[in-house]
Amino acid sequence: MSDLDTFRSETRAWLEENCPPEMRAPIVSEKDVVWGGRDQSRLTAPQKIWLDRMAARGWTVPDWPTDYGGGGLSAAETKVLREEMARIKARNPLNSFGISMLGPALLKYGTEAQKLEHLPKIARGEIRWCQGYSEPNAGSDLASLATSAEDAGDHFVVNGQKVWTSYADQADWIFCLVRTDKTTKQGGISFVLFDMASPGVSTKPILLISGYSPFCETFFDDVKVPKANLVGELNKGWDVAKYLLGHEREMISGMGLSGGGDALVEGALATVGVDAEGRLADPLLRAKIALYEVRALAFAAQSERFIDELKAGHAHPAQPSMMKYYGTELNKARHELAMAAGGSDAVEWESERSGGGRAARAWLRTKANSIEGGTSEIQLNIVAKRILELPG
Amino acid sequence: MPLFLNDEQTMLRDTARDFVSENAPVAHLRRLRDSDDKTGFDRALWKQFAEMGFTGILIREDAGGLGLGHVEAGVVLEEIGRNLSPSPFLTTAVAAVAALHNTAQAERWFPGILSGETVAALAIDEGAKHRDRVALRAERAGNGFRLSGAKQFVTHGHVADLLIVAARTGGSDDEAEGVTLFAVPADAAGLTATPERLADSSVAARLTFEGVAVDADAVIGEVDAGRGPLDRLLRAGRTGASAELLGVGGGAMDMTVAYLKQRKQFGTLIGSFQALQHRAAHLYAEMEVARAAVLKAQQLLDAGDAAADQAVSVAKAMTGLATTLSVQEGIQMHGGIGMTDEYDIGFFMKRARVLAEMFGDTNFHADRVARGRGY
């Protein structure tokens, strides 16, 4: 037996023994997602057990070094772990912008002290992070941001406003882009970390078309940020930001991976039923679902290929833009189809039967996919210029 | 297994790329067409394919082949597609070899395929749309069978040395069981081939079988159990056609992107226009996704994985979508010059259309995915 086979059988046995049965069920609502953070009172007992057991092995971040709370697994072992988790339908023990975005940036640009301070807490889900990038006048044109950080000796004084800060009202810390030089555009931006409990930080949720408020407006009024919290070099935060955006795009492209063919078919079966040959009785709906599935299965292969190429170090650096574009457009198409399959049942908004309008709210949520993390148009610009090397 | 080509496969691709682009670029197809060639391909070139070892890619080493897999066959097919090279590689070295693999007929036909003497054609379609249906009858007669019926869309059917024929020995036309696969020599009495030139300048035949007598040993595999070798043939053919489509779509896209960087309008390169950049970038995304689907199908097929069947249909459906987009965008972005016979982009559109129909189009395979998943 190869080492990898041994690892697989040991992992399978460990997961079998340690993953609580409640954590092997599909995620149906927001409260099923574990985000971690200082306030863990929201977690159910099985969520807490699953998080703690996985974190103890470093398996919330399996491929991070063990010194920083990771599992120290190779790319191949990480893949095996994910496959074995998928096999028993185990939920992700921890969802975190710390894992998917800040962590990789700190691993690349952070000082040793910053890594030791922040990474283990991310791995254990002790600190919940939010991202302070967009501003009212700096969305797609992110480099126009105006939030300022004035040098005040041993610290910066931060003033300004961010917008679309995901879960800012529930976050403990923020990783934030600030302007430290007003004379240049991209060259005057720095990347800083600070505690959301710092005096001068306030947040205000934004009500969305889905009826939810996952995003906030975030205000900074003379917030003191120690200089030790600067990541990378002063005025060179754009490099960190770009690196991190690549990871964010990868994460968002994963949405296209949620497959969802089964749910579409189930939804359609419930509304249109089957014909004499056992096929969905609405042939056009059936055809649309089938063509969606072709694309979704092909995209699943592309995602696998993308990850394999990333790990082998020969993915084109702009490839995440392509993945983000395709994945989010596919996800929107899936939810549009889900609404068509669900018919009038799917537009119920508050009924118990509809889970409080789960389908409709999820459908509305996906409309942000092609806007957040860089719009589809921005991604296409990047592919055109950096991969196809088109002029201008 | 990671989902990208390993070092050996990359080397093979480079070899195939050099060989095909040097010996059979689009100009080769144009020459064949302009000289009103009746064969549909160049026999001397087919010999060269054999000398390169390409015809033995899927043939086991103990039978004199290279003993490689569908990934490697696809590497060659993609280059054939990229150069629009007319070749019996897909029908002979891929689909026919897959059908004959591990049967008594292998010994008889593999040496000719390895040496480049033998060309095989696939008599599997009976209507204008590819279906699983088999109506052509094979009735027992003496020591063998008599075949009666018709087939169409048989590429190289008028010049092939070997015809692989799906016939019905039992059951009704739409049943999966009761099918037998035959290896029929091209000179069998009662067999008529009517060649027709297709839009892409290739030649496909309509075949009629009027009591064509074959020996019992012409059966590939077992009587009434032809689904086994036929499914092998179809999986290999569908995957191979997907790889060739990937080459056609990729070739058209490269040509188009190069044109965007060179053509000026309003005093500026048209590739700097955002409207065209976005469409080119979208096309690139579709082609990348199609590429992954093809590689996935090839790898699963080589691994003998049960999931291969669905992956093969996904690959054929997805390459049909992506390559159709690629050739359409190719003509559109080239503008008027794209409509001229003198310019090559139109050849890509024609080839893509023929390949899209071969072994089942996007709708056929999407339907297959749906059935496989129970709806």
Side-chain angles (χ1 to χ4, degrees), chain B residues 98-177:
Chain B
L100 296 170
H101 190 70
N102 281 348
T103 70
Q105 290 286 333
E107 225 170 287
R108 173 162 178 207
W109 296 103
F110 280 0
I113 292 173
L114 283 167
S115 68
E117 301 286 341
T118 301
V119 166
L122 314 168
I124 51 173
D125 282 356
E126 297 186 2
K129 297 302 285 185
H130 176 77
R131 292 285 177 265
D132 286 326
R133 183 168 193 274
V134 177
L136 184 143
R137 311 289 309 179
E139 283 170 353
R140 284 189 186 272
N143 181 31
F145 295 83
R146 278 184 181 280
L147 275 55
S148 306
K151 297 283 181 180
Q152 64 187 66
F153 201 34
V154 185
T155 311
H156 319 305
H158 64 307
V159 290
D161 309 285
L162 160 67
L163 291 163
I164 297 200
V165 184
R168 183 152 296 287
T169 39
S172 63
D173 295 355
D174 289 309
E175 266 178 66
E177 297 312 309

